[in-house]
Amino acid sequence: MRVLVFGAGVIGRIYAARLAATGHQVSILARGAKAEQLRESGITLQRGHTAAEAIYPAVLETPQEAGEFDVAFVAIRRDQVGDALADIATVRARIIVSLVNLPLGLAGFGAAVGSERFIPGFPGVAGSLDRKGTLHYLELAQQPTILGNVGGPAGGVEEVGGLLRSAGMKFRTAEDMATWMQSHAVFISAFESAIVATPGGVVSLAADRKATRNAVAAVREGLRALEARGTRAAPAAVRLIFLSLPLWFATAYWRRQLAGDLGRLGLEPHAVATRHTELTQLQDDVLQLMAGTPTPRLDALFNAAR
Ligand SMILES: NC(=O)C1=CN([C@@H]2O[C@H](COP(=O)(O)OP(=O)(O)OC[C@H]3O[C@@H](n4cnc5c(N)ncnc54)[C@H](OP(=O)(O)O)[C@@H]3O)[C@@H](O)[C@H]2O)C=CC1
Ligand SMILES: CC(C)(CO)C(=O)C(=O)O
């Protein structure tokens, strides 16, 4: 398939390299020094102790350069969407999938790019680039690529799902992507705020039962506020861990996750890199979603991170 990946950051590189390695015709849109670096060195992915060969997708600096695509994945940050939307709308692709944390503005995104070809999604991988340009990443068993099951072209979700599957990447569908993203934003903004606000970062947070418990309680508070406003927290596993199981159990579970690969490769690098960009924007989105419901624990975590 002809695939465009719009955005050459962590997520864009992982999807581009995985799909190109499978034999798809992949182009990645990069700007500035990143375009040159990608042309010269390609993308090297490392999962666990296994580093793959460098992969060289075609590098574009404008989306029009390579004509038409079957599928375009948009892998930019929430805080970059406003500036990029007009360019994304010019992409000539039958299907456009967003891999962006978008708790607010999903409908506007869809309307701008054309809701008949738009599938909202969320990455099922996480990682970070080291100084040598190797991208260390993990695939998230508990959160594979999520594809919204409503709207988009007929058969589009199956087509994108098949494309991912061809590259060995799992996917899951969500009936209500807006609800999924809102719940996720509560979780991610609370945990990433806690990580950047803790001296010593994720390792210290995981070692501190009280501090992890406070982050879990802040997520619980946020999800309860969402539910009080008629939004049922999603997916079911998130509801279970944060709203149904006892706080001590959720705390023990998250201390293990924070101390493991998810904390080290997924949450911390992303939190540190986006502390003053996407994270701030997600905090604002979450507070807007709470719309006046008091959330003192979340507020305190957000303030500590700012
Ligand atoms: N990193 C992770 O582990 C995870 C990330 N996510 C989510 O995935 C999304 C993407 O994150 P991530 O890949 O980490 O973000 P990055 O900041 O690493 O990458 C975003 C990329 O998009 C590029 N970009 C933005 N606007 C444009 C534009 N108009 N034209 C061309 N390029 C553009 C940026 O270029 P430039 O550098 O020049 O600004 C940058 O290379 C986010 O919403 C994030 O929350 C979800 C799960 C895990
Ligand atoms: C993978 C994880 C949990 C952390 O990177 C995430 O979903 C996110 O960053 O939004």
Side-chain angles (χ1 to χ4, degrees), residues 198 202-214 251 255:
T198 304
V202 76
V203 171
S204 303
L205 180 63
D208 185 339
R209 192 176 58 80
K210 214 169 139 204
T212 305
R213 187 169 178 272
N214 184 53
T251 302
R255 287 183 72 196

Side-chain angles (χ1 to χ4, degrees), residues 135-214:
L135 209 157
H136 301 261
Y137 81 109
L138 68 158
E139 281 189 81
L140 303 166
Q142 63 276 53
Q143 182 189 297
T145 304
I146 309 293
L147 299 173
N149 211 6
V150 180
V157 168
E158 292 73 18
E159 193 174 340
V160 175
L163 173 64
L164 294 171
R165 214 180 298 117
S166 72
M169 300 175 88
K170 295 199 167 69
F171 77 100
R172 193 178 290 155
T173 57
E175 292 308 317
D176 184 344
M177 204 58 199
T179 299
W180 191 99
M181 295 248 212
Q182 290 173 11
S183 308
H184 184 80
V186 170
F187 152 70
I188 210 76
S189 60
F191 268 68
E192 293 199 344
S193 296
I195 289 168
V196 294
T198 304
V202 76
V203 171
S204 303
L205 180 63
D208 185 339
R209 192 176 58 80
K210 214 169 139 204
T212 305
R213 187 169 178 272
N214 184 53

Side-chain angles (χ1 to χ4, degrees), residues 18 35 42 58 68 76 103 105 108 168-169 174 201 220 222 238 253 259 269 284 287 294:
R18 288 290 297 267
E68 311 224 332
I76 64 175
M169 300 175 88
R220 175 177 285 201
V238 162
Y253 172 82
D284 289 344
L287 293 177

